[in-house]
Amino acid sequence: MAPDIGRRLRRGATSGAVVAAAVAALAASQAPEAIQPTTDSAGGDRAVGTGEGTPPSGEGSATGDSPYYTELPPLNTPPKQPGVPGTGTGPLVVTGPAEAGIPATVLSAYKRAEQSVRSTAPGCNLPWQLLAGIGKVESGQASGGRVDANGTTFRPILGPALNGVGFANISDTDDGAYDGDRVHDRAVGPMQFIPSTWATWGQDANGDGKKDPNNIYDAAQAAGLYLCANDRNLALKADLDRAILSYNRSTEYLNTVLSWFEYYKRGTHQVPDGTGVLPVDRSDNRRPGGLPGTTTPTSSVPVSPSPTSPAPKPGSQDPKPGTPGTTKPPTVPTEPTPVPKPPVTSPADKVAALAVAGNRQLTTITDSDFTGVPRAAALDASGKPVARVNVRFEIVGATDTRFAGGKTVVTATTTSSGIASSPALRAGEKAGTFTIRATVVGRTLGAAEFAVSVTERQADTLVRVGEDPLSAATGTAFAQELQVKATDKGALAPGVLVTAEIVTSKTDPKPATEGPTFKSTSSHTAAFTTATDGTLTLKAGDLLAGDKVETYFLKLTAPGGGTLFVELKVTESDSTPDPDPDPTPEPSEPGTPEASPSPSASPSPSSSPSPSATAPTASPSATASKA
């Protein structure tokens, strides 16, 4: 399907149908780049990634189907012969055929990778001899073990440019960071990972803080995890074959790796670094006329003599071509053919279309997180994904929905699968619809747009808790508390905005113009939000009775259909003010004749004074005393 997509893209530029097909193919891809393993640790241990089965024909591989060494192991079983006890330089020396010798550091890396993978994925049953078989056909065991004490090759091991001439056509995905090529990708390192695959599976197995495809420890660990992907059990022949074919989709490659795998299982021995035997026959050399201008996977080091010639001593110079007793090296150049450097282009310049890759329509309820985020795919003119492209996501429209951190505009970078995902989205309190627009930063390509909607929290049922009547006398407040429970489809409904209104009738609910009011709004309407337990509470004093004696109703409504009427009875005040029992007389105005005393205060002038009212006569003794 992928080649067909590429042809249609080239013919019809970036039509909607073609882009859609490319995005569908990308989303359905089961290539290793699409498998997302868990994060690795500094010590090299890492859980195995999960995914589907072996990538079908037409999809990717670990090496991009780069050339490999086709030389087969000897027919004789490598015997193990105990040597002389160590002389202070290492363990017992084990001898055997040169082809069975594996450089010390390389062998250590394979065995360490097996232990690490078996600790995290014991069901995979990864044998280190399988890594050795792949390392043999990919790079001749890291160019015969030409690595430093840390396991890094002295010079990068690069495959030929994957430009579609005899190999896969893979445009640059790493801006030359790993392979030094900004036009096409090349397989890199002793296990020959292409940069896009290394971006997913790369490891730091030697704990130096770097994931280096040219480090045998890092590369062997990554290869082990890659082979164990998709829950494979390498003890099963079918899974073993699928794992090897996922590395390089060739039946000849499968048979060659299996031959070395079986050979190494029968016996190997350790040789000093830099003295391993290099194979000389590559798969691309068997094509008529070869492929001029390509680079061998071990192009960074000279090629050693064939197994029939004496192996050079450690530290000696490699024999020159034409020396008697040596085999002429292959016709393929030992160094990359110099080519003019192309103009530097950014990943964004390669993008021909930006398309929706997932979550075209997003929805949630107010004040909630969205379960998905917008995902956009950057594709080149042939429909292939473009990595490291900056994609701008912008919220367009009247909404209080925001990306993480309260932002309305964010930028994300595409992965090796060409996918950019925005940060998490959270809806605010405003319901409605709006758009999220994705564009390539620095380009004027068509945008990928996502339709987003936010709906109100709903409750289909409102039920009063308790049945106490609500009543209050005119001029006072309702002293009873009112509690209502909101549910939606039987579940408690928190955060629902409930509208409250005073109406005159339950059967004909017209808004009241007088009577009870809400204390918080001083009007006949108000809005309340249900609590986390789905309840709404009006406390004593929240409702004022007003001055008119009558029966009213409190109408509560919620989005989703929930409705409730609660009767409110306003009664006559049951008491009147008492008159003042002892009123104080008003003072008279100056010049105004005083009122005649009331009969009760003094006798009338016509009446005879009573003895008690007449002043007593002074007694003689009192008079005398005064004189």
Side-chain angles (χ1 to χ4, degrees), residues 207-224:
D208 64 356
K210 297 183 295 184
K211 298 178 181 181
D212 185 358
N214 282 296
N215 181 278
I216 185 59
Y217 288 103
D218 294 358
Q221 174 84 4

Side-chain angles (χ1 to χ4, degrees), residues 46-49 113-128 130-131 201 221-237 239-240 243 261:
R46 176 172 170 180
V48 178
E114 178 197 80
Q115 293 173 355
S116 178
V117 173
R118 282 182 181 266
S119 69
T120 57
C124 176
N125 295 303
L126 172 72
W128 67 262
L130 177 59
L131 297 175
W201 294 94
Q221 174 84 4
L225 291 169
Y226 181 91
L227 293 166
C228 286
N230 311 323
D231 295 326
R232 296 189 186 104
N233 179 0
L234 301 182
L236 302 176
K237 183 63 166 62
D239 279 4
L240 177 64
F261 175 42

Side-chain angles (χ1 to χ4, degrees), residues 311-329:
K313 296 181 180 180
S316 64
Q317 295 182 349
D318 292 320
K320 298 180 180 179
T323 303
T326 64
T327 301
K328 185 178 179 179

Side-chain angles (χ1 to χ4, degrees), residues 79-179:
K80 287 186 178 180
Q81 301 175 359
V84 180
T87 59
T89 58
L92 291 178
V93 177
V94 182
T95 62
E99 294 83 1
I102 299 178
T105 300
V106 178
L107 182 60
S108 171
Y110 293 153
K111 292 183 176 181
R112 182 187 293 186
E114 178 197 80
Q115 293 173 355
S116 178
V117 173
R118 282 182 181 266
S119 69
T120 57
C124 176
N125 295 303
L126 172 72
W128 67 262
Q129 292 90 342
L130 177 59
L131 297 175
I134 290 177
K136 179 70 173 182
V137 301
E138 292 294 348
S139 67
Q141 309 298 18
S143 302
R146 296 173 187 267
V147 296
D148 62 20
N150 201 35
T152 303
T153 58
F154 291 121
R155 297 173 64 181
I157 300 176
L158 300 176
L162 298 175
N163 55 13
V165 182
F167 316 115
N169 185 359
I170 303 179
S171 298
D172 173 51
T173 61
D174 66 333
D175 199 27
Y178 291 120
D179 56 15

